Amino acid sequence: MAKRKPVHHRPVSPDRQVPVQARGRATISAVLIVKDEEDVLESCLESVSWADEIVVYDTGSSDSTRAIAARFTDLVVEGYWDDDFGGARNRALEHATGEWVLSIDADEVFVGEPSALRARLGVGGVARHVLTVRSARPVDLGPAAESIAVRVFRRRECHWVGRLHEQVVIRPGRRTNALFASVPDVQLLHSGYRQDVVDAKDKAGRNVRLAERELAAALAAGRTDNLTVLRVNLARSFVIAGRVREALDLAEEIASCGDPAPLVVVELAGTMSWLAHVNGDHAGSERWLDRWLAATDHPAWAHARRAEFSAERGDAPAVLEAVAHVPTSTLNDFGQRLERLDLSRIESWALHTLGRHDDAVDLVLAAARSGRTPSTPEVLVATFEAAGRPLEELLPLLSAESWSGLAVLAGHSSSPSGLVLLRQMRRHRPEDVTVLTCAAAWGTRMTVEEALDWSTSIRAVGLAELCPLRALATCAERDPRERVLAAAVAFTAFTDAQALPALEGALAQVLPEHEAELAELVESVAPGLLTPSA
């Protein structure tokens, strides 16, 4: 592919149409903001080379980032950085022209079939879709983690807000469906924290060497005025480099030597308590939390952190003890607010675990009234069931965002509670597209009876392409007998011609000793399908 010169394009209105529309399908712009990403950018751009357009907004690279980007797109924008992630993403967005935007970072790779993403765009009129982001991390910092985030959205209907923890929201004045739906068939693999990537890039290693050099120079010159700051910088560099033990040891030295300022202790405690916790050092984590409490005038944040750590360890009594020290609402010196209801997920789990089921339900309902997503599907279903109270108490209280968020969590859940919750949500809102699309993600895990039930609802709102029966019939991991039955039911109940190839493929895999029994079962649900009359 010939190299193309990076160009700076004039911003366009969000209402601008795509100059050349792709026939029969919506257009997608993959949009990135980058800086010095030469080690990972090529893999990212290769993974989205199927997109109708790629926009790379560079915020000041000094390596070969722009040259690499120019091999994949003409839309390489020489931008700027102003410590505002939302602002940078919106400036990048100004150069996109696709109907839909896929927001991806340079250290992420798109995994899955693009057709699976295109098939779900805008189902039910939604303008936002969430993807699973799987983040690999260095071994010392724990296992890979999964999260869900809005990464696909209609360009003209949405934009970014937030300097740091930026989010995709509906543009002011747009009368757009505020719900969002999941795309479970694809994911973004975040490789930036993988150990081999960290080692290959060696940026963290370079930071450590610079911090060590700066500290050594200060010691050699006999300067003591800023040694604590230099040691803290080195400890931070150790953390980023994944050198956990060195980070913890140096932090202990800083806390034990001299009299570091309270703000230094609080800053260290926030990082080191977490680092010790994720590495199984319970005593070290508790020691740093105690230091935090001793150094701060705002102890609620340290108590909240202790509650979170206790919940991750499964220590319900410790959760309630810590949460008891968090007031209803409090502010720190930086104007940050913490409310006890912010901890409602873990507090309700602890109450339920300790048999206080009615208290747990009451807390969940209070959290829902405040606009929060009250808990996970697993905890909600178990808590209401144990209390002998119906989930119908909760569902009318959920905000639009909480409703959608809970449905997405249920759709991505690995527990049967996810489908139980979705079933209750459908009972409350039978034609809710978010619930139905999230339930479709369960298609390959449903029984044939469940698949028929959900397929009826999903097809009723015009989403035949998400039919769970069809998904089950084509799932190679399922027993071929189940696949045959699912295909037969899909054809009989919905005259789905696409089920017939799946039926034939599954039949070829049925063991001879099962054929007679299966034929009899299929005949009962789809008479004449396997043995048509002459």
Side-chain angles (χ1 to χ4, degrees), residues 467-488:
C467 173
L469 280 171
R470 188 185 294 177
L472 177 54
T474 56
C475 180
E477 287 74 29
R478 294 296 292 267
D479 188 309
R481 289 172 292 179
E482 294 178 304
R483 295 169 54 197
V484 168
L485 190 58

Side-chain angles (χ1 to χ4, degrees), residues 12 16-19 27 29 53 55 93 95-99 155:
V12 298
R16 176 178 169 178
Q17 296 290 336
V18 180
T27 51
S29 298
E53 175 181 74
V55 177
L93 195 59
H95 298 270
T97 59
E99 180 182 352
R155 177 179 59 85

Side-chain angles (χ1 to χ4, degrees), residues 22-311:
R23 289 186 178 181
R25 58 178 173 79
T27 51
I28 301 176
S29 298
V31 180
L32 305 78
I33 61 171
V34 300
K35 182 179 180 181
D36 293 335
E37 300 288 359
E38 63 182 7
D39 296 316
V40 294
L41 184 59
E42 183 171 0
S43 296
C44 172
L45 295 179
E46 283 180 347
S47 77
V48 295
S49 59
W50 51 266
D52 301 290
E53 175 181 74
I54 300 175
V55 177
V56 178
Y57 183 89
D58 185 82
T59 62
S61 292
S62 58
D63 62 3
S64 61
T65 290
R66 287 196 295 272
I68 293 170
R71 300 208 310 264
F72 293 87
T73 178
D74 287 329
L75 287 167
V76 181
V77 183
E78 297 181 11
Y80 62 92
W81 178 247
D82 59 356
D83 294 323
D84 184 340
F85 278 98
R89 293 195 189 279
N90 283 332
R91 290 194 295 275
L93 195 59
E94 290 175 344
H95 298 270
T97 59
E99 180 182 352
W100 290 87
V101 170
L102 165 64
S103 178
I104 186 170
D105 290 337
D107 56 0
E108 294 173 340
V109 171
F110 180 92
V111 178
E113 290 297 326
S115 59
L117 172 60
R118 292 188 188 276
R120 297 201 177 222
L121 290 177
V123 287
V126 300
R128 297 177 293 172
H129 292 278
V130 296
L131 303 184
T132 297
V133 182
R134 183 171 175 80
S135 181
R137 300 161 62 182
V139 174
D140 288 341
L141 291 181
E146 283 191 0
S147 61
I148 55 175
V150 176
R151 290 300 196 90
V152 179
F153 54 91
R154 285 190 184 274
R155 177 179 59 85
R156 288 180 289 167
E157 304 299 326
C158 305
H159 69 165
W160 294 91
V161 297
R163 295 183 65 88
L164 182 56
H165 299 295
E166 67 277 21
Q167 298 181 14
V168 176
V169 302
I170 304 300
R171 292 179 184 269
R174 301 283 183 175
R175 295 184 176 180
T176 300
N177 189 336
L179 302 178
F180 47 78
S182 66
V183 185
D185 310 300
V186 301
Q187 63 178 233
L188 301 180
L189 179 61
H190 179 213
S191 63
Y193 296 138
R194 224 175 53 222
Q195 190 65 61
D196 61 321
V197 175
V198 171
D199 292 343
K201 293 175 71 171
D202 199 33
K203 290 183 179 180
R206 289 199 297 268
N207 289 344
V208 168
R209 290 191 291 273
L210 289 173
E212 288 176 328
R213 192 180 307 151
E214 196 172 9
L215 177 58
L219 290 170
R223 300 197 310 271
T224 60
D225 54 324
N226 66 339
L227 284 181
T228 298
V229 172
L230 295 177
R231 286 192 172 103
V232 170
N233 288 342
L234 180 55
R236 286 175 179 159
S237 299
F238 282 146
V239 172
I240 295 171
R243 295 165 62 173
V244 174
R245 192 69 263 163
E246 291 166 282
L248 290 169
D249 289 346
L250 179 56
E252 287 285 348
E253 180 183 326
I254 295 169
S256 303
C257 296
D259 186 21
L263 282 178
V264 172
V265 175
V266 169
E267 181 180 2
L268 277 176
T271 299
M272 297 305 159
S273 61
W274 169 81
L275 197 60
H277 169 72
V278 297
N279 284 276
D281 183 1
H282 176 53
S285 177
E286 288 295 304
R287 185 165 59 251
W288 277 108
L289 289 172
D290 287 339
R291 286 174 177 152
W292 189 349
L293 288 168
T296 184
D297 293 328
H298 304 283
W301 274 263
H303 287 303
R305 181 70 62 83
R306 177 165 276 154
E308 292 167 357
F309 291 167
S310 298

Side-chain angles (χ1 to χ4, degrees), residues 381 390-393 395 403 417-430 435 454:
V381 170
L391 271 168
E392 282 79 0
E393 285 188 66
L395 301 181
W403 175 275
S417 298
L419 196 57
V420 170
L421 179 58
L422 288 168
R423 194 176 296 117
Q424 293 292 333
M425 296 176 80
R426 179 184 58 171
R427 186 175 299 166
H428 188 65
R429 299 182 190 173
V435 170
W454 281 102

